[in-house]
Amino acid sequence: MIPKIAVIGEGVIGCTSALQIAKAIPNSRITVLHDKPFEKSCSAGPAGLFRIDYEENTEYGRASFAWFSHLYRTTKGTETGVKLVSGHIQSDNLESLKQQQRAYGDIVYNFRFLDDRERLDMFPEPSKHCIHYTAYASEGNKYVPYLRNLLLEQKVEFKQEEVTSLDTVADAGYDIIVNCAGLYGGKLAGDDDTCYPIRGVILEVDAPWHKHFNYRDFTTFTIPKEHSVVIGSTKQDNRWDLEITDEDRNDILSRYIKLHPGMREPKIVKEWSALRPGRKHVRIEAQKRTASGSGKEYTVVHHYGHGSNGFTLGWGTAIEVTKLVKKALGL
């Protein structure tokens, strides 16, 4: 029998999961279910700079980095949204930068701490410490559609419909359901109330001369995209509102311009806000379930809770998810 697999979520995690499953189980029939157009999803706006928040996710990031390296070598960046960028992260907190070194210092290229001359030359009000590294960035508005095109080539179907019950999806004929519903993954699972929104706002500005990412700690930053530069951000836990206010704009710009006065009075070409899927740990787990109405047995594989690291970790975590799907099918 041909296994029927539903992937819930059309964002970076859903498309990455569907692609790896399609490659690993080529005789499967996969449908990606999503409740809204991709342009309104959390994955449509990020610049996708490779950076890992927690050391427990290092190996997931390592696998993703290898995938981005492959794309960078083999495919035009105008198609994939993947490019190689260098830059800096400053902080007065030395331990926070050493934690970054432990999390991904041996994965990225050219990771090192700047000396005093470099810090004082480059930054008008430098923090006490600064790291430099080179890594890949994957623009969400290009990278995820690229994955989607690969999925269409694999005959994966996309269907827009709101999913409110895993049992209902199982009753529609699916043997395996992969829960990549992001912020709503816990609610859909029905057994997890630990997910929370992390409200994010970014501004895209016209600054073609700005070629490096530039951070102060982890909320004040710029990341270059192909046709703009992202300035961010807000990271506000447990806020559900998406309207971008003057308070948001002034907060983001005042913080960044203090870091980099050369960016003052930028021409804003686009604004974007979204709710990142916060969770203490990424959930990667398989469960056998029985649909309450029909009694049908099925397996759900949970894959959500990546916080701000969805693009960095997604390929690596999808490898584990694909193993769980294969195991559930006895492969």
Side-chain angles (χ1 to χ4, degrees), residues 160-176:
Q160 184 170 340
E161 65 178 56
E162 185 176 3
V163 176
T164 58
S165 166
L166 296 176
D167 285 357
T168 301
V169 177
D171 286 339
Y174 294 98
D175 310 294
I176 308 289

Side-chain angles (χ1 to χ4, degrees), residues 10-12 15 37-49 68 76-83 137-149 202 204 223-230 269-272 311:
E10 192 197 15
V12 64
C15 285
F38 167 70
E39 292 75 17
K40 295 185 178 180
S41 74
C42 186
S43 293
L49 177 68
F68 291 133
K76 292 180 180 179
T78 51
E79 297 177 25
T80 65
V82 174
K83 60 183 175 298
S138 45
E139 295 184 23
N141 61 321
K142 287 181 175 288
Y143 176 61
V144 181
Y146 171 75
L147 297 179
R148 191 179 192 276
N149 287 335
I202 59 173
E204 292 192 24
I223 305 171
K225 297 179 75 170
E226 184 176 3
H227 299 299
S228 63
V229 174
V230 165
V269 296
K270 185 178 179 181
E271 301 177 332
W272 181 77
F311 285 80

Side-chain angles (χ1 to χ4, degrees), residues 275-297:
L275 304 177
R276 306 175 183 98
R279 196 173 187 272
K280 187 175 182 180
H281 305 283
V282 180
R283 187 179 188 185
I284 305 173
E285 180 186 1
Q287 295 176 327
K288 291 187 179 298
R289 293 193 176 188
T290 302
S292 58
S294 65
K296 176 179 177 177
E297 295 183 350

Side-chain angles (χ1 to χ4, degrees), residues 46-77:
L49 177 68
F50 187 95
R51 196 183 64 76
I52 300 173
D53 284 326
Y54 303 111
E55 294 166 58
E56 66 187 57
N57 295 323
T58 292
E59 295 310 311
Y60 296 140
R62 193 184 307 277
S64 295
F65 198 85
W67 164 243
F68 291 133
S69 176
H70 165 75
L71 289 181
Y72 179 75
R73 292 193 306 269
T74 61
T75 311
K76 292 180 180 179

Side-chain angles (χ1 to χ4, degrees), residues 80-307:
T80 65
V82 174
K83 60 183 175 298
L84 195 62
V85 292
S86 299
H88 309 93
I89 302 177
Q90 299 184 63
S91 180
D92 287 335
N93 184 339
L94 179 59
E95 177 54 30
S96 72
L97 297 184
K98 287 185 175 180
Q99 186 273 336
Q100 297 287 282
Q101 183 177 34
R102 294 191 296 269
Y104 57 87
D106 67 339
I107 299 175
V108 299
Y109 310 126
N110 308 318
F111 188 102
R112 67 183 183 87
F113 281 81
L114 269 62
D115 62 30
D116 289 344
R117 180 193 67 83
E118 292 169 315
R119 285 189 307 107
L120 295 171
D121 267 3
M122 282 192 284
F123 310 118
E125 295 183 19
S127 300
K128 295 178 182 178
H129 312 283
C130 183
I131 58 174
H132 163 92
Y133 67 92
T134 303
Y136 300 101
S138 45
E139 295 184 23
N141 61 321
K142 287 181 175 288
Y143 176 61
V144 181
Y146 171 75
L147 297 179
R148 191 179 192 276
N149 287 335
L150 294 181
L151 288 167
L152 292 173
E153 292 174 3
Q154 297 279 340
K155 308 302 181 184
V156 171
E157 181 183 2
F158 286 76
K159 183 182 296 185
Q160 184 170 340
E161 65 178 56
E162 185 176 3
V163 176
T164 58
S165 166
L166 296 176
D167 285 357
T168 301
V169 177
D171 286 339
Y174 294 98
D175 310 294
I176 308 289
I177 301 171
V178 186
N179 176 12
C180 303
L183 176 59
Y184 302 96
K187 181 179 180 180
L188 189 59
D191 63 358
D192 179 12
D193 61 1
T194 66
C195 296
Y196 61 93
I198 307 172
R199 179 179 181 267
V201 175
I202 59 173
L203 311 175
E204 292 192 24
V205 304
D206 182 21
W209 48 270
H210 188 74
K211 303 297 186 183
H212 291 72
F213 64 86
N214 189 24
Y215 277 65
R216 171 118 54 199
D217 295 306
F218 306 106
T219 56
T220 302
F221 60 80
T222 48
I223 305 171
K225 297 179 75 170
E226 184 176 3
H227 299 299
S228 63
V229 174
V230 165
I231 300 183
S233 173
T234 62
K235 288 188 177 181
Q236 299 161 334
D237 292 355
N238 296 302
R239 272 187 62 174
W240 292 87
D241 54 303
L242 288 172
E243 181 182 358
I244 301 173
T245 66
D246 285 339
E247 182 181 0
D248 294 324
R249 298 181 187 95
N250 293 336
D251 171 50
I252 291 169
L253 289 174
S254 63
R255 282 188 282 117
Y256 188 75
I257 292 169
K258 185 176 181 181
L259 169 64
H260 186 180
M263 195 69 84
R264 60 185 174 273
E265 300 179 356
K267 178 183 177 181
I268 298 175
V269 296
K270 185 178 179 181
E271 301 177 332
W272 181 77
S273 66
L275 304 177
R276 306 175 183 98
R279 196 173 187 272
K280 187 175 182 180
H281 305 283
V282 180
R283 187 179 188 185
I284 305 173
E285 180 186 1
Q287 295 176 327
K288 291 187 179 298
R289 293 193 176 188
T290 302
S292 58
S294 65
K296 176 179 177 177
E297 295 183 350
Y298 66 97
T299 298
V300 57
V301 179
H302 300 293
H303 187 203
Y304 62 85
H306 294 68

